Amino acid sequence: MKNPNGTFKVWADANVSRQIEDTVLYGYYTLYSIILFCVFLWIPFVYFYYEEKEEDDSNTCSQVKTALKYTLGFITVCAVLLLIGAFVPLDIPNKKNSTEWEKVKLLFEEFGSSHGLTALSFSISSLTVIGMLAAITYTAYGMSALPLNLIKGTTSASYERLENTEDIEEVKQHLLRIKSKCRDGRPLSSRDRRTLQQLEERLRTLRRRERHLESIEKSWWTKACEAIRPLKIVWGVFFIIVALLFTVSLFLSNLDKALHSAGFDSGFIILGTNLTNPLNMLLPVLQRVFPLDYILITTIVMYFIFTSMAGIRNMGIWFFWTRLYKIRRGKTRPQALLFLCMILLLIVLHTSYMIYSLAPQYVMYGSQKYLVQSNKTIDGQPRNVTLVSKDCDADAPEDQCIVTRTYLFLHKFWFFSAAYYFGNWAFIAVFLIGLIVSCCKGKKSVIEGEVDDDDSDMSDDELSVYYH
């Protein structure tokens, strides 16, 4: 709606500006409502449906009823979040003589005047905090693990197969030594029986590894990966540079909040930037040429998705100290895929605040400018009052700079902003720890995570399709 010099275009009057703001706001209503629908209704329903489907004696009708029963709990949580956001005022009246009825009227008036903005903002912010925890756990680690795994590569399938064959022979010899103790009819001790059971399980696992390694060694996919090995190294170097760039930008943004914000009670909100960073300078410049800024934003979001998937792939899906599911090619359970979708959905939701942390000027005002008077003095006398354009900031008149709708969504509640601030420090710490751990670890196995002791022999047939 503005010209490059900071003046409004002819068609951009107050009514048009309000219509555009409302259109964007309703667009956010729609998209965020879809997210609430997926998180609190669709994904839980499908998850519990598949949980019931694993029981052989259950029919479709009972599966749907049970899934709806458990999904009702998620819908209740969503309703509670909406009610809290809708009826809890952001500014409690300070007048001591205000009656209870006046407070109730204030609640309804605020709910009506905001058109449900606070209700939706509270629900989305609650999900964003969960997405922040997922990003700290998976994305921060994936940003270090993905590039270093690409650079270091994996061990040779033939070399691993040779080592595995030696391990099989060693286990067989140990089994023969234990079984030889009972040839004369003497029973084995309880310790020998436990050792025998452990060795037999170990032998089954090694034989499964042997079959997997043989399939991978003969597959065309392995030969193709070896051919593009130099390209993987280039991508790994590129990803680690991007990860370091993001970390430095996030550190500078958080340091700016720590030094220049109003503190914890304000949610560490800062209007404007005092310590700039590369992304904060680049995005407002790219916005002037459509659609360069959207291309960069899309690239950043896709980067977070790929690194998050790498982190989930390496770690699995955990609930505190309990691992719920493993993500493996060809053998991932439907429930694990649904969890993966929900985690990625919440991480992308948190990406909105991550982009604000990386480029606060772009998220708040974009490339908007406004006009200010510049007084030139000659011999101590004011001369030649001119108008110069200046980037929008907190000092700009309210009618000259329009704050983006996404910024209002992100900072509606100060305590969520404070949680995001501390979450950014935790994100940086986990990334640095993951970088050190990934540097110290050796090459990954070519079948890393594909064969575990708790796998069944039947699962080998499921994976063989992907290697032939």
Side-chain angles (χ1 to χ4, degrees):
M1 296 184 293
K2 280 192 169 186
N3 297 308
N5 62 357
T7 59
F8 281 95
K9 295 181 179 180
V10 178
W11 54 267
D13 55 16
N15 292 331
V16 174
S17 175
R18 173 56 60 183
Q19 291 175 2
I20 295 176
E21 291 176 24
D22 290 342
T23 302
V24 174
L25 189 61
Y26 294 145
Y28 276 114
Y29 276 148
T30 304
L31 296 176
Y32 281 135
S33 299
I34 292 173
I35 291 177
L36 292 180
F37 173 79
C38 291
V39 172
F40 289 107
L41 180 60
W42 181 246
I43 294 180
F45 173 80
V46 178
Y47 175 84
F48 290 114
Y49 177 83
Y50 274 101
E51 281 288 319
E52 291 297 315
K53 192 175 182 180
E54 292 184 351
E55 299 182 5
D56 297 333
D57 57 345
S58 61
N59 53 38
T60 304
C61 184
S62 63
Q63 293 170 16
V64 172
K65 289 181 180 179
T66 306
L68 286 174
K69 179 178 65 176
Y70 288 114
T71 306
L72 186 62
F74 285 83
I75 297 175
T76 304
V77 173
C78 180
V80 170
L81 292 177
L82 289 172
L83 289 174
I84 293 175
F87 294 106
V88 174
L90 300 180
D91 298 319
I92 303 297
N94 296 322
K95 298 180 180 180
K96 296 182 179 180
N97 57 354
S98 61
T99 62
E100 292 298 323
W101 172 245
E102 289 174 343
K103 291 182 180 180
V104 172
K105 284 180 22 180
L106 175 65
L107 294 174
F108 281 97
E109 288 174 1
E110 183 169 346
F111 178 76
S113 62
S114 63
H115 303 289
L117 174 62
T118 53
L120 189 59
S121 177
F122 188 89
S123 302
I124 293 299
S125 296
S126 302
L127 295 180
T128 305
V129 170
I130 302 176
M132 178 190 70
L133 299 176
I136 293 172
T137 305
Y138 298 113
T139 311
Y141 174 71
M143 284 174 58
S144 60
L146 175 62
L148 290 177
N149 287 339
L150 289 174
I151 294 172
K152 291 187 292 186
T154 58
T155 56
S156 171
S158 57
Y159 177 75
E160 281 197 58
R161 191 178 177 188
L162 179 62
E163 282 190 335
N164 193 75
T165 303
E166 295 176 353
D167 292 338
I168 290 176
E169 292 299 324
E170 183 180 348
V171 172
K172 285 182 177 179
Q173 293 296 327
H174 200 173
L175 282 171
L176 289 175
R177 286 196 298 270
I178 295 178
K179 291 180 180 180
S180 64
K181 296 181 180 180
C182 60
R183 287 179 179 176
D184 56 355
R186 290 181 302 173
L188 293 174
S189 64
S190 59
R191 179 180 178 182
D192 287 338
R193 287 197 300 270
R194 287 195 302 269
T195 304
L196 184 65
Q197 184 179 3
Q198 292 173 358
L199 289 174
E200 288 175 347
E201 292 177 356
R202 173 66 175 162
L203 184 60
R204 285 194 294 268
T205 303
L206 290 173
R207 284 173 175 168
R208 284 200 301 271
R209 285 179 59 89
E210 178 73 17
R211 291 193 291 269
H212 279 250
L213 289 170
E214 184 180 0
S215 299
I216 291 176
E217 190 176 7
K218 296 178 181 179
S219 70
W220 62 267
W221 176 253
T222 303
K223 297 179 176 62
C225 290
E226 292 175 355
I228 62 173
R229 179 81 184 97
L231 185 60
K232 283 187 173 182
I233 296 176
V234 173
W235 276 109
V237 173
F238 172 74
F239 282 149
I240 198 66
I241 292 174
V242 173
L244 292 174
L245 174 64
F246 283 173
T247 305
V248 171
S249 299
L250 194 62
F251 173 78
L252 291 175
S253 177
N254 252 30
L255 183 62
D256 193 10
K257 294 177 183 178
L259 296 177
H260 302 104
S261 69
F264 178 80
D265 294 337
S266 66
F268 297 95
I269 295 176
I270 182 172
L271 300 176
T273 56
N274 298 281
L275 299 177
T276 188
N277 61 70
L279 285 174
N280 195 41
M281 294 187 296
L282 181 60
L283 280 169
V285 175
L286 294 180
Q287 191 185 24
R288 300 170 187 170
V289 182
F290 179 83
L292 294 182
D293 60 326
Y294 293 124
I295 294 175
L296 182 57
I297 289 294
T298 304
T299 304
I300 292 173
V301 173
M302 294 304 298
Y303 174 79
F304 282 129
I305 291 176
F306 282 126
T307 53
S308 301
M309 293 181 68
I312 298 173
R313 176 74 168 79
N314 290 337
M315 298 175 60
I317 298 175
W318 291 74
F319 182 76
F320 291 103
W321 53 84
T322 304
R323 184 164 70 173
L324 301 178
Y325 300 104
K326 291 174 285 188
I327 306 297
R328 295 181 295 177
R329 179 168 45 187
K331 295 191 294 182
T332 305
R333 299 178 62 187
Q335 295 91 328
L337 292 176
L338 290 169
F339 259 105
L340 176 63
C341 292
M342 180 175 287
I343 291 173
L344 291 177
L345 184 65
L346 296 175
I347 289 176
V348 171
L349 193 61
H350 177 64
T351 303
S352 299
Y353 188 82
M354 287 290 292
I355 294 176
Y356 164 73
S357 300
L358 296 170
Q361 178 67 28
Y362 172 80
V363 173
M364 288 176 63
Y365 298 109
S367 60
Q368 292 183 79
K369 296 181 179 292
Y370 69 102
L371 296 177
V372 294
Q373 292 184 351
S374 176
N375 298 326
K376 294 183 179 180
T377 59
I378 301 177
D379 297 332
Q381 299 295 326
R383 301 286 180 85
N384 299 331
V385 177
T386 59
L387 295 176
V388 296
S389 60
K390 181 182 178 182
D391 291 333
C392 284
D393 52 22
D395 299 328
E398 186 178 352
D399 59 343
Q400 291 296 315
C401 291
I402 302 174
V403 179
T404 58
R405 303 301 95 182
T406 182
Y407 179 82
L408 297 179
F409 266 99
L410 292 173
H411 297 87
K412 196 72 176 176
F413 299 90
W414 65 269
F415 41 86
F416 285 124
S417 299
Y420 301 149
Y421 168 79
F422 291 111
N424 285 343
W425 287 119
F427 186 93
I428 296 172
V430 172
F431 168 76
L432 295 177
I433 294 172
L435 187 63
I436 296 173
V437 172
S438 299
C439 289
C440 296
K441 290 175 64 176
K443 288 185 177 182
K444 289 178 57 178
S445 170
V446 71
I447 55 171
E448 180 77 23
E450 299 292 348
V451 180
D452 291 317
D453 293 336
D454 56 353
D455 292 337
S456 63
D457 292 334
M458 297 296 293
S459 62
D460 293 336
D461 298 333
E462 300 174 6
L463 190 67
S464 61
V465 179
Y466 296 88
Y467 293 120
H468 292 285

